[in-house]
Amino acid sequence: MVMKRIYFFGILFMLSGLLKAQCPFTATITPSSISLCPFRSDTLFTETADSYQWFRNGAPVNNNNLPYLVVSNPADNNASILVVQTIDGCSESSSPVTVTGISLPKMTINIDGATSGTACLGDTVNLSINSGQTENITWFRNGNPIAGQTGTSINIVQAGNYSATGAIAACPANTQFSTGVILSFTNAPVPQIFEDEGAGTCLLYTSRRG
């Protein structure tokens, strides 16, 4: 009984090996992994064969007997792609390739040196992009580009509506827009001391310059 079981499993092992290597070639897809920026496309390639059938998430891609397939984001985001090649009547399937879509973070600006968008005259307010955009940066004041300001931060001494555009390093062509940051500068309160004649004491109060 034991010998019969060993013989049976041995045959299954041999058959599984034959099924895995049924064709004298290996079907592959190049590149083996692919990441796409939003609204971008790229091409998957396979080797020369007599015919091709591409599959997307297990479903055949219609009218595509070509050695390549164009994929895009968002249409193919997270899709599993494979190809079946046929040579001399023998068909072989490739390993699947997953199309990964890159997500863009919302572009935000951090304010340092101003409370609720207000700073004192003579102070410097620092604005910095804190959401990962490092490429193709332009800063704006009241809708107009600020010359020479292409870094991830900027020092501000003037009131205005500030914003920026930029892109993450993985998708430099996907420019994003931040929301506006409104800054104002006001006179600082100046402490003054005066004598209350009725009470015979000195009181401290503040008033604004000007």
Side-chain angles (χ1 to χ4, degrees), residues 113-136:
T115 303
S116 300
T118 301
C120 296
L121 282 174
D123 288 352
T124 298
V125 178
N126 180 265
L127 302 181
S128 59
I129 299 170
N130 64 348
S131 46
Q133 291 79 5
T134 58
E135 308 297 316
N136 300 326

Side-chain angles (χ1 to χ4, degrees), residues 65-208:
N65 185 25
L66 296 170
Y68 61 87
L69 181 70
V70 177
V71 290
S72 62
N73 179 8
D76 296 301
N77 191 10
N78 295 323
S80 179
I81 306 293
L82 64 81
V83 66
V84 174
Q85 294 182 357
T86 300
I87 300 177
D88 295 332
C90 190
S91 297
E92 185 76 29
S93 174
S94 71
S95 298
V97 170
T98 299
V99 180
T100 302
I102 299 175
S103 299
L104 303 181
K106 181 179 179 181
M107 190 170 182
T108 57
I109 294 177
N110 182 67
I111 307 173
D112 184 22
T115 303
S116 300
T118 301
C120 296
L121 282 174
D123 288 352
T124 298
V125 178
N126 180 265
L127 302 181
S128 59
I129 299 170
N130 64 348
S131 46
Q133 291 79 5
T134 58
E135 308 297 316
N136 300 326
I137 295 173
T138 301
W139 287 92
F140 297 84
R141 177 176 180 267
N142 298 331
N144 300 310
I146 304 175
Q149 296 296 336
T150 58
T152 57
S153 65
I154 184 173
N155 290 326
I156 302 298
V157 294
Q158 288 181 294
N161 189 335
Y162 291 88
S163 61
T165 60
I168 61 174
C171 300
N174 287 85
T175 301
Q176 298 174 256
F177 297 83
S178 74
T179 55
V181 172
I182 299 176
L183 296 178
S184 60
F185 291 80
T186 184
N187 289 326
V190 179
Q192 295 183 359
I193 299 176
F194 71 98
E195 182 177 355
D196 186 339
E197 296 180 355
T201 59
C202 291
L203 303 177
L204 175 67
Y205 79 99
T206 62
S207 64
R208 295 190 180 276

Side-chain angles (χ1 to χ4, degrees), residues 38-61:
F39 312 109
R40 295 295 185 268
S41 62
D42 207 338
T43 305
L44 298 173
F45 295 92
T46 191
E47 299 86 357
T48 301
D50 296 335
S51 64
Y52 316 85
Q53 177 60 65
W54 293 87
F55 290 82
R56 179 187 292 110
N57 296 329
V61 177

